[in-house]
């Protein structure tokens, strides 16, 4: 009996001194939350500057307007007559300019065909003594001195008179019947009527001066499409005679020149007072 009790004590001592395995000893059996696992820092990425806010002041400027398309040109002096030059330009595709030398004088009947523009070269305007006729769609005259005015053939489209001096004491300076016509940068003077537009399509006048007219400045039966910066001076009857009215009229404000700077006291004739 004593031997059995001794054996039991040995077993208790052996159980008390027995070591736990390393894996079990590392376990936390208290019930507390485990510590968080270490998280590696995120990889560095290149930073981008913030996009600028597009406000009215910082918005990008609008793109520049497209460059004007230059018309093909032929010189009237390279042909025996002006009529031959106009005909040579007429058979070419698109719009063609026939350039007349500055200071020259053109006589006889001149009819500008469709798609051709008669252009006086820079400098002194060439003088055209007889009535010039715009005889087709797209016909025009530019930078010439027209002594017996311009007639526009009935039914033509996109005709123009630009940068010309126009006079015709016995009739209208520009007579347009049933045509679409634009007159720009012209001076019309000493005519019966400056512009007479009857039974036609649109009529537009831009930056023109009309002076010393016996009758009406502009006489039009159809409605006038545009009057922009047109100046009238010494008109006999009406500046604009058009019962149908004007679709659009624009007058740019007159900009007064800045006053001269004050003269310094040291530059006055008698110097400072006292």
């Amino acid at each position: 009996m004593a031997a059995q009790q001794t054996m039991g004590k040995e077993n208790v001592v052996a159980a008390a001194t027995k070591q736990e395995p390393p894996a079990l000893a590392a376990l936390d059996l208290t019930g507390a939350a485990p510590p968080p696992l270490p998280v590696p820092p995120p990889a560095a990425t290149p930073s981008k500057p913030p996009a600028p806010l597009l406000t009215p002041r910082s918005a990008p400027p609008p793109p520049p307007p497209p460059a004007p398309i230059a018309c093909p040109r032929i010189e009237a002096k390279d042909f025996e007559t002006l009529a031959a030059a106009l005909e040579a330009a007429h058979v070419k595709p698109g719009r063609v300019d026939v350039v007349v030398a500055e200071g020259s004088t053109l006589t006889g009947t001149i009819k500008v065909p469709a798609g051709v523009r008669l252009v006086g070269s820079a400098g002194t305007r060439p003088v055209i003594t007889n009535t010039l006729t715009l005889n087709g769609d797209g016909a025009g005259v530019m930078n010439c001195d027209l002594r017996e005015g311009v007639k526009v053939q009935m039914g033509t489209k996109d005709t123009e008179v630009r940068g010309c001096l126009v006079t015709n004491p016995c009739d209208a300076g520009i007579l347009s019947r049933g045509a679409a016509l634009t007159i720009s940068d012209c001076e019309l003077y000493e005519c019966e009527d400056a512009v007479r537009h009857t039974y036609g399509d649109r009529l537009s006048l831009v930056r023109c001066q009309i002076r010393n007219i016996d009758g009406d400045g502009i006489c039009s039966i159809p409605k006038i499409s545009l009057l922009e910066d047109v100046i009238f001076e010494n008109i006999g009857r009406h500046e604009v005679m058009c019962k149908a009215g004007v679709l659009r009229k624009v007058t740019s404000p007159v900009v007064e020149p800045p006053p001269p700077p004050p003269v310094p006291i040291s530059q006055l004739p008698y110097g400072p007072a006292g």
Side-chain angles (χ1 to χ4, degrees):
M1 181 66 69
Q4 291 177 356
Q5 293 178 355
T6 304
M7 182 178 296
K9 292 180 180 179
E10 291 176 353
N11 291 337
V12 172
V13 173
T17 58
K18 185 178 180 181
Q19 299 292 331
E20 294 289 342
L24 295 177
L27 294 177
D28 184 3
L29 303 178
T30 61
L37 297 176
V39 179
T45 57
S47 60
K48 296 182 180 180
L53 296 177
L54 293 180
T55 62
R57 292 187 178 182
S58 63
I69 301 175
C71 295
R73 299 163 65 95
I74 64 175
E75 299 288 340
K77 63 182 181 181
D78 297 335
F79 296 82
E80 293 184 0
T81 62
L82 178 60
L86 293 173
E87 182 59 29
H90 177 57
V91 298
K92 291 180 177 294
R95 192 169 195 174
V96 182
D97 288 347
V98 176
V99 182
V100 180
E102 63 172 316
S104 57
T105 300
L106 305 177
T107 60
T109 302
I110 300 177
K111 294 184 178 181
V112 181
V116 179
R117 184 169 60 177
L118 183 65
V119 179
S121 60
T124 306
R125 294 182 177 92
V127 176
I128 299 177
T129 59
N130 292 359
T131 302
L132 180 138
T133 302
L134 302 181
N135 207 32
D137 294 350
V141 58
M142 178 177 176
N143 197 38
C144 292
D145 187 350
L146 306 166
R147 299 295 175 86
E148 282 193 3
V150 179
K151 288 185 178 180
V152 185
Q153 186 67 25
M154 181 177 294
T156 56
K157 305 292 184 181
D158 298 325
T159 54
E160 69 168 339
V161 180
R162 182 190 301 181
C164 294
L165 295 175
V166 183
T167 183
N168 190 0
C170 300
D171 203 346
I174 299 177
L175 177 60
S176 171
R177 293 174 177 170
L181 173 64
T182 299
I183 307 169
S184 60
D185 302 302
C186 291
E187 181 179 349
L188 298 96
Y189 65 99
E190 296 178 2
C191 306
E192 184 177 322
D193 294 330
V195 179
R196 192 182 300 157
H197 186 64
T198 60
Y199 306 104
D201 204 335
R202 61 172 178 80
L203 171 66
S204 301
L205 283 87
V206 180
R207 297 181 302 275
C208 292
Q209 181 179 3
I210 301 176
R211 60 180 176 84
N212 300 336
I213 304 300
D214 294 336
D216 298 324
I218 302 172
C219 179
S220 178
I221 293 179
K223 182 176 292 186
I224 299 174
S225 300
L226 173 64
L227 291 181
E228 180 177 347
D229 295 335
V230 179
I231 300 174
F232 298 93
E233 180 182 350
N234 193 20
I235 307 300
R237 288 196 297 264
H238 305 91
E239 292 182 353
V240 178
M241 179 59 182
C242 181
K243 293 184 178 180
V246 179
L247 184 62
R248 184 183 177 200
K249 186 174 182 180
V250 179
T251 303
S252 300
V254 178
V255 179
E256 296 292 339
V263 179
I265 296 178
S266 59
Q267 297 181 10
L268 294 175
Y270 301 101

